[in-house]
Amino acid sequence: MADAALFEFLHMEMVAELWAHHSDPGPGGQKTSLSVLEGMGFRVGQALGERLPQETLAFREELDVLKFLCKDLWVAVFQKQMDSLRTNHQGTYVLQDNSFPLLIRMASGPQYLEEAPKFLAFTCGLLRGTLSTLGIKSLVTASVASLPTCKFQVVIQKT
């Protein structure tokens, strides 16, 4: 439990610090901050992927990799499993978390909805970095329709 609180506090401070230094309210300042957060998440995701046991790295199907992210990786980082995984079987996956831990504290009102993207950039990078370590090039985006529910869309990039 203490690990979760420490991670949430660290994440909150990273977001606050980046927004304090890149306080440009325009799209350029926000894009820079989101890019930095996503890059940090990517590196953490790579490191997590590198620490996986070798048998974990032997997935045969993309769907198996995404199931691993929804169950094992999510539990390791957020102490809970992802709520749902959907796919169109053409390389696009939607992962939904109905009570995303990094958004729960903001869920007290709809006025915080526009602030949500900055709290999701790190996690998008985390997913993309882990997938990269597992040999899958992807694009990960996040959306929030109502707090604290969020959806991560993973688009596998075929090479």
Side-chain angles (χ1 to χ4, degrees):
M1 191 67 170
D3 290 344
L6 289 173
F7 175 72
E8 287 178 35
F9 180 70
L10 175 64
H11 183 265
M12 192 171 40
E13 287 300 311
M14 288 188 315
V15 170
E17 185 67 19
L18 281 169
W19 252 254
H21 285 310
H22 298 284
S23 58
D24 176 15
Q30 291 178 357
K31 283 183 182 178
T32 300
S33 297
L34 289 173
S35 179
V36 169
L37 280 170
E38 200 269 346
M40 293 167 105
F42 182 83
R43 182 60 197 119
V44 170
Q46 282 182 318
L48 283 173
E50 290 166 358
R51 298 185 68 162
L52 296 173
Q54 289 302 315
E55 60 270 8
T56 304
L57 302 176
F59 291 115
R60 294 183 181 210
E61 301 288 329
E62 288 174 356
L63 185 57
D64 294 331
V65 174
L66 273 292
K67 286 179 183 178
F68 166 79
L69 292 179
C70 290
K71 294 178 182 178
D72 301 322
L73 179 74
W74 221 248
V75 169
V77 177
F78 299 111
Q79 288 77 45
K80 66 184 279 309
Q81 288 187 5
M82 186 75 71
D83 292 306
S84 74
L85 168 64
R86 295 190 178 128
T87 181
N88 67 356
H89 298 287
Q90 296 176 354
T92 300
Y93 300 87
V94 176
L95 295 70
Q96 182 169 326
D97 191 331
N98 294 327
S99 58
F100 186 57
L102 300 178
L103 295 179
I104 288 176
R105 300 217 190 301
M106 300 171 55
S108 60
Q111 71 270 25
Y112 299 113
L113 194 57
E114 66 186 42
E115 299 292 321
K118 62 186 175 186
F119 291 93
L120 300 173
F122 178 86
T123 308
C124 288
L126 180 83
L127 291 168
R128 195 171 65 83
T130 305
L131 286 167
S132 174
T133 301
L134 295 172
I136 298 175
K137 188 175 180 185
S138 63
L139 176 66
V140 180
T141 57
S143 63
V144 177
S146 65
L147 293 169
T149 300
C150 69
K151 293 181 181 180
F152 295 93
Q153 181 173 343
V154 178
V155 178
I156 306 300
Q157 303 192 319
K158 307 289 185 195
T159 53

